[in-house]
Amino acid sequence: MPSRCVAAGCSNTSSESVSVYKFPKQETLLKQWTEQVQRTRANWVPTASSTLCSEHFEADCFEETPQLMKDMGMHVRYKKVLKPNAIPTIFKRSLLNHKLRTESQE
């Protein structure tokens, strides 16, 4: 069974254009990834099989070689390679979270 992205509102699996990554084992990085997911999924806790997809990382979080090959029109058969200290930062805010925040500011 393919791994699905754990980010709220995302259910991407690995495909030609999307890569998925297991959560890091390094404690500091694991905590940072977890906190980012918790921005849209309060109290969420990762498991050994939790993954995030490439859609949640900025372009500068990836090694350049595969992207350069792709930009040159070459077929890249392997997933995008994350830099060792990459942190996911792209998450869609859920409508519920946005509504709660808006109401509390009134």
Side-chain angles (χ1 to χ4, degrees):
M1 176 172 266
S3 296
R4 292 207 177 274
C5 181
V6 299
C10 185
S11 59
N12 284 339
T13 59
S14 184
S15 69
E16 184 84 19
S17 60
V18 176
S19 298
V20 294
Y21 308 94
K22 287 192 174 227
F23 275 62
K25 293 181 181 178
Q26 198 270 339
E27 200 169 315
T28 303
L29 208 51
L30 173 63
K31 182 178 181 209
Q32 291 173 312
W33 281 39
T34 302
E35 288 172 349
Q36 289 298 323
V37 172
Q38 289 174 343
R39 290 171 44 207
T40 57
R41 293 184 69 184
N43 302 318
W44 179 84
V45 178
T47 66
S49 61
S50 295
T51 60
L52 278 175
C53 77
S54 52
E55 299 290 312
H56 303 289
F57 294 88
E58 300 285 343
D60 64 354
C61 289
F62 300 100
E63 297 292 344
E64 294 179 20
T65 305
Q67 188 59 47
L68 285 174
M69 291 172 63
K70 190 173 182 179
D71 290 346
M72 292 171 39
M74 302 170 110
H75 181 70
V76 179
R77 287 194 236 172
Y78 50 93
K79 70 180 185 178
K80 294 178 180 178
V81 178
L82 275 178
K83 291 181 179 176
N85 293 319
I87 309 276
T89 57
I90 303 172
F91 292 89
K92 293 179 183 172
R93 300 277 184 199
S94 73
L95 293 177
L96 176 61
N97 286 343
H98 177 72
K99 183 178 178 187
L100 291 174
R101 247 185 258 106
T102 304
E103 289 173 355
S104 68
Q105 293 174 355
E106 293 176 350

